[in-house]
Amino acid sequence: GAGVSQSPSNKVTEKGKDVELRCDPISGHTALYWYRQSLGQGLEFLIYFQGNSAPDKSGLPSDRFSAERTGGSVSTLTIQRTQQEDSAVYLCASSGERLNYGYTFGSGTRLTVV
Amino acid sequence: ILNVEQSPQSLHVQEGDSTNFTCSFPSSNFYALHWYRWETAKSPEALFVMTLNGDEKKKGRISATLNTKEGYSYLYIKGSQPEDSATYLCAHRAGGTSYGKLTFGQGTILTVHP
């Protein structure tokens, strides 16, 4: 596609439910990243996929969070047993391998856990 | 400096004023410094990717400089316009195996008053 597409744009869920957030990167971009911004905080790194290499999961805050990237394209971030502190804007970005032009971000998913 | 720090946190200027912000980052293991602009209800947009000490980049009325030895970058906006109102983020990219991962500062929120 022309840009990075994220869905849903907004998600309200009850505490304890599982949620899936989807990211469709720019075609041909080998790298895909997930970040989140909680209220009053900066952008926090979650996970990074580069080609066929093992993902860098060092930013995932707990084992309730997982992500996969199928066929080197679409990625899904899954949060199990959501908690109120998971409420944030979840941003996906993609880039070429060399990152010469920076990230191209999607418009984000605003997750609210009630 | 262990983290990426930006100052000021927020800034209000009048239309036509020139302004600048600071980004401080770890000077060791430096690979690149990115600047992004994030307008409300939009996706963050890459402004500059800077890699060399002494780099200066320009895009219209916006320019940036880089000092990798002392670990800081300045972003300048000449003749601010209301449409420049946004959050300006800088991000540090370290060398190493997870080289695509960026560490973001908290951002500087710029408001330009007509």
Side-chain angles (χ1 to χ4, degrees), chain B residues 18-39:
Chain B
S18 292
T19 187
N20 65 87
F21 329 130
T22 304
C23 173
S24 300
F25 55 86
S27 55
S28 61
N29 196 25
F30 174 85
Y31 193 92
L33 193 283
H34 293 215
W35 281 100
Y36 292 83
R37 174 171 57 200
W38 194 357
E39 296 178 67

Side-chain angles (χ1 to χ4, degrees), chain A residues 33 35 37 40-43 45 48 50 56 58 91 97-103 105-107, chain B residues 31 34 36 38 41-46 49 89 93 97-106:
Chain A
Y33 316 84
Y35 285 77
Q37 185 178 44
Q41 305 296 313
L43 278 175
F45 169 76
Y48 156 47
Q50 172 62 57
D56 178 346
S58 60
L91 284 170
E97 184 174 354
R98 298 186 67 183
L99 201 55
N100 288 345
Y101 303 104
Y103 289 173
F105 281 94
S107 53
Chain B
Y31 193 92
H34 293 215
Y36 292 83
W38 194 357
K42 294 188 177 180
S43 311
E45 170 197 7
V49 177
L89 298 168
R93 180 181 168 189
T97 55
S98 191
Y99 59 84
K101 174 177 142 186
L102 297 180
T103 301
F104 284 84
Q106 299 270 59

Side-chain angles (χ1 to χ4, degrees), chain A residues 11 16 72 74 87:
Chain A
K11 176 73 176 178
V74 171
S87 296

